Amino acid sequence: MKIAQPNFSIVVNWKTRGFGCAKVCSYCNWRDSPLLPHGGQSAEAVSEFIRQCKKPFITISGGADPLYKFDEYVDQLLAMIRTIKAEGFKVRIITREVQHVSKLRGIADHFSLSLDAETLEEARAFQQEWTGMDVEYSLVLPPIPTADIIMLKPQYATLHGDLGRRLVLRENLNSIYPLDFAKLSFDHSGIVYVPKALCLGSRYLATIDCVGHDIVQDNEGLANYLMNDPAIYLFGGFVKHLVNPVVHMDYDDIDVVVTNPDVIKNLETNFSFTFKAVSPVNSYPRYFQGTSSRAGKSIQLILMCSAADAFQFICKTPQYEIDRIGYSNSRFIVDGAVGEDVIRCAIDSKNASAVKGPRDLTLCHGGREETERVHRVKLLKRGFSITE
């Protein structure tokens, strides 16, 4: 997608320590970003940045929430708005703090309200205060394939009719599935889709002046690499997402076994990861924690010597049948003794059954019992039933 003139957004986080947002959204890419500001941007930095913009408006966005603890941070917000207006631009604010929107009547020009179930109810309570104001609603799409989003179109149409204002459906930056927007059209301007390319091609003032591609990880590109390199073996929550992205929309860190150390170099060079060894130097296998300077998922990486060891670790070691499945080089790998159909059915139904009989744990480090206890708790929190 070619963007004639990119949007310009100022990333804010009023708190000098921590993250100034009351929400914990699964798709948030900013909370742990090394580029997240702490405190307000200077008027000089804002002016220098926005003078490059060719569009008539500047967005004040997360980062954190611009209207977080409004009474405490309003002076910083108003100072930033004055700086933007002095340069001749209009101001757009993206927020979830809908209770404060009307307080900026005549001060900010446009508002985009990020919806979840909680803010949707709050918006209904406050929207009568917004008569004559330019307010739209914004909803991040679930990270699922086009065919599954098509099934949700009637719900979005109903929501649009209920809210009575423009509804913007934003492509999820964490989605690994390319979307066909031609199949998703509503044929009117009341509901529009915003592709991730628009966000990744926009200009941002964070702790540095940068482009979206420089600060946000495109999980689609990362996943394409991880899923197709024969030296990479995916397992854990990411693979459950591949098996059934509707049932398992969210996953935490990306778990991988690699059999070639060049994979680490490629992830560092092409995806801005930095890896830290978290196991003893002479141990086997070697464990690494990877984080990217671009906001996004971290990687738990295990370096092994052979494909046989990778298969043993992923498909023969786990305590529950649902975990005995991996993905490598464009195909699933499974424990044949359990069977792919059985594993897929268990993943679909969120039913975790303990493997019967002894297990070979020779590729596991000490503390495996605690690791498995933590894993069990995580499964329960994600709604799995467990049969021991």
Side-chain angles (χ1 to χ4, degrees):
M1 175 181 177
K2 183 178 180 181
I3 303 173
Q5 296 294 344
N7 290 334
F8 274 54
S9 295
I10 302 171
V11 175
V12 297
N13 177 38
W14 305 124
K15 294 186 71 173
T16 55
R17 297 184 64 183
F19 188 64
C21 183
K23 303 292 184 180
V24 183
C25 302
S26 61
Y27 55 81
C28 178
N29 297 89
W30 276 111
R31 184 176 292 272
D32 298 316
S33 171
L35 299 178
L36 180 71
H38 288 89
Q41 305 277 13
S42 71
E44 293 76 16
V46 171
S47 293
E48 182 179 355
F49 171 70
I50 65 179
R51 285 169 187 163
Q52 306 168 66
C53 183
K54 303 300 181 184
K55 287 191 172 181
F57 66 91
I58 301 293
T59 299
I60 301 176
S61 67
D65 197 301
L67 305 190
Y68 175 73
K69 293 189 176 180
F70 185 80
D71 293 336
E72 182 175 348
Y73 298 114
V74 63
D75 290 342
Q76 294 185 66
L77 174 64
L78 293 178
M80 182 174 288
I81 290 175
R82 286 194 295 270
T83 299
I84 295 171
K85 296 254 184 178
E87 298 290 343
F89 295 96
K90 292 185 176 182
V91 174
R92 182 175 72 131
I93 292 179
I94 300 177
T95 183
R96 292 188 183 285
E97 302 285 344
V98 297
Q99 70 273 26
H100 300 306
V101 167
S102 63
K103 299 173 184 177
L104 293 172
R105 178 187 294 273
I107 299 173
D109 302 282
H110 314 290
F111 297 86
S112 184
L113 309 184
S114 300
L115 292 179
D116 57 18
E118 183 179 350
T119 54
L120 176 58
E121 290 306 311
E122 292 173 350
R124 290 188 173 116
F126 288 98
Q127 60 185 352
Q128 72 275 6
E129 300 177 5
W130 306 332
T131 301
M133 299 177 68
D134 186 349
V135 178
E136 68 180 17
Y137 294 100
S138 174
L139 189 64
V140 175
L141 293 169
I144 56 179
T146 299
D148 295 303
I149 292 180
I150 287 174
M151 301 292 290
L152 299 175
K153 285 180 65 176
Q155 297 181 37
Y156 294 138
T158 299
L159 178 62
H160 170 248
D162 182 30
L163 294 171
R165 291 177 182 267
R166 185 170 181 253
L167 178 61
V168 177
L169 300 175
R170 298 185 177 278
E171 187 175 8
N172 196 319
L173 289 169
N174 292 322
S175 178
I176 67 174
Y177 302 101
L179 293 183
D180 185 345
F181 290 100
K183 295 180 179 179
L184 296 173
S185 172
F186 285 88
D187 296 322
H188 60 77
S189 60
I191 306 177
V192 297
Y193 290 98
V194 174
K196 68 173 70 172
L198 181 64
C199 298
L200 294 174
S202 296
R203 291 286 295 276
Y204 294 86
L205 177 61
T207 56
I208 59 173
D209 176 354
C210 48
V211 177
H213 284 286
D214 298 329
I215 58 175
V216 178
Q217 190 71 259
D218 182 359
N219 262 27
E220 186 179 333
L222 175 62
N224 185 62
Y225 169 63
L226 295 175
M227 293 166 63
N228 292 287
D229 190 305
I232 300 174
Y233 298 79
L234 291 150
F235 65 100
F238 187 90
V239 173
K240 293 180 181 67
H241 180 64
L242 291 177
V243 171
N244 193 328
V246 174
V247 172
H248 302 278
M249 286 189 190
D250 296 324
Y251 55 92
D252 297 322
D253 298 340
I254 301 174
D255 299 304
V256 299
V257 173
V258 304
T259 56
N260 186 338
D262 286 346
V263 170
I264 296 176
K265 296 178 183 177
N266 289 338
L267 289 169
E268 290 173 338
T269 301
N270 299 317
F271 298 97
S272 302
F273 276 90
T274 299
F275 285 90
K276 177 184 178 181
V278 292
S279 59
V281 174
N282 295 322
S283 62
Y284 182 83
R286 298 288 311 284
Y287 282 72
F288 298 84
Q289 171 74 39
T291 55
S292 177
S293 60
R294 303 176 197 169
K297 304 289 185 179
S298 58
I299 292 179
Q300 304 281 354
L301 184 146
I302 307 172
L303 179 61
M304 293 186 172
C305 291
S306 68
D309 281 357
F311 180 85
Q312 169 72 23
F313 183 83
I314 293 172
C315 297
K316 293 295 184 180
T317 300
Q319 73 209 94
Y320 298 117
E321 292 177 344
I322 56 164
D323 295 310
R324 294 196 165 197
I325 183 169
Y327 191 93
S328 179
N329 200 19
S330 305
R331 65 184 182 88
F332 288 99
I333 57 173
V334 300
D335 180 356
V338 178
E340 184 170 349
D341 290 344
V342 171
I343 294 173
R344 283 179 172 272
C345 183
I347 290 173
D348 291 345
S349 61
K350 288 192 170 183
N351 182 19
S353 298
V355 174
K356 298 179 178 63
R359 293 184 289 141
D360 183 353
L361 302 180
T362 54
L363 291 173
C364 299
H365 285 188
R368 180 71 183 187
E369 183 176 339
E370 174 63 14
T371 298
E372 294 187 346
R373 187 194 68 79
V374 171
H375 178 58
R376 183 180 187 278
V377 172
K378 287 182 178 180
L379 289 176
L380 290 171
K381 287 182 177 180
R382 289 188 176 275
F384 281 83
S385 61
I386 295 179
T387 304
E388 298 292 355

